Amino acid sequence: MDMALEVIILPVTDIDRAKAFYQDKVGFHVDLDAEVTPGARVVQLTPPGSGCSIALAKGVPSPTGTPQPGTYHGLQLVVADAKAAYEELTARGLEISEPVQYGPQDGGTFMHFTDPDGNGWSIQEYRERAAKPLHKLLTELAEQSQ
């Protein structure tokens, strides 16, 4: 059985403020902004090149519990060039830490930011993604397993 992590519901206090933040400062694409049922709004945003989105929701029941805004930490984006990503994101007005190399290996450089509610994100430099984007790598792996 294949499973794909495609959407993470991100708890926020103000959907419009969070939508503007993720769209304008972080550069996510708005896939959906709709009232999906009466009184329930969902805004789904996807990072460029990603197969996983975040969803901001209001009025949507969660049978397993309701996370509180600002409690998510460890969400991680991956870029091929941390310095270029830092320059682009700061030019958009995002307050983000400068890239720090924790180890010399590919994947050892990180920077961090929080959204307006305090949900915490990391951005990891993984230079191999420039030559092997994740979606291409997954396609290759799937073809090999057939």
Side-chain angles (χ1 to χ4, degrees), residues 2-124:
D2 289 342
M3 290 188 204
L5 180 61
E6 294 188 9
V7 180
I8 296 171
I9 307 296
L10 189 64
V12 297
T13 55
D14 183 325
I15 289 181
D16 291 317
R17 177 181 72 172
K19 175 186 173 186
F21 173 81
Y22 284 104
Q23 180 179 19
D24 301 338
K25 292 193 176 184
V26 189
F28 287 14
H29 178 264
V30 177
D31 303 319
L32 172 74
D33 184 348
E35 186 175 57
V36 293
T37 60
R41 178 179 174 203
V42 173
V43 176
Q44 185 170 322
L45 303 107
T46 303
S50 180
C52 188
S53 303
I54 61 169
L56 315 172
K58 182 177 181 182
V60 177
S62 177
T64 60
T66 304
Q68 298 302 307
T71 61
Y72 276 32
H73 295 278
L75 297 162
Q76 188 166 309
L77 301 167
V78 176
V79 298
D81 184 335
K83 185 175 180 179
Y86 177 81
E87 295 299 325
E88 181 177 328
L89 293 168
T90 55
R92 291 174 185 252
L94 181 66
E95 292 183 25
I96 186 168
S97 67
E98 291 192 29
V100 174
Q101 186 179 49
Y102 294 103
Q105 74 281 7
D106 191 12
T109 299
F110 290 83
M111 51 192 161
H112 309 277
F113 70 92
T114 57
D115 72 9
D117 285 295
N119 295 303
W121 291 81
S122 296
I123 298 180
Q124 177 187 24

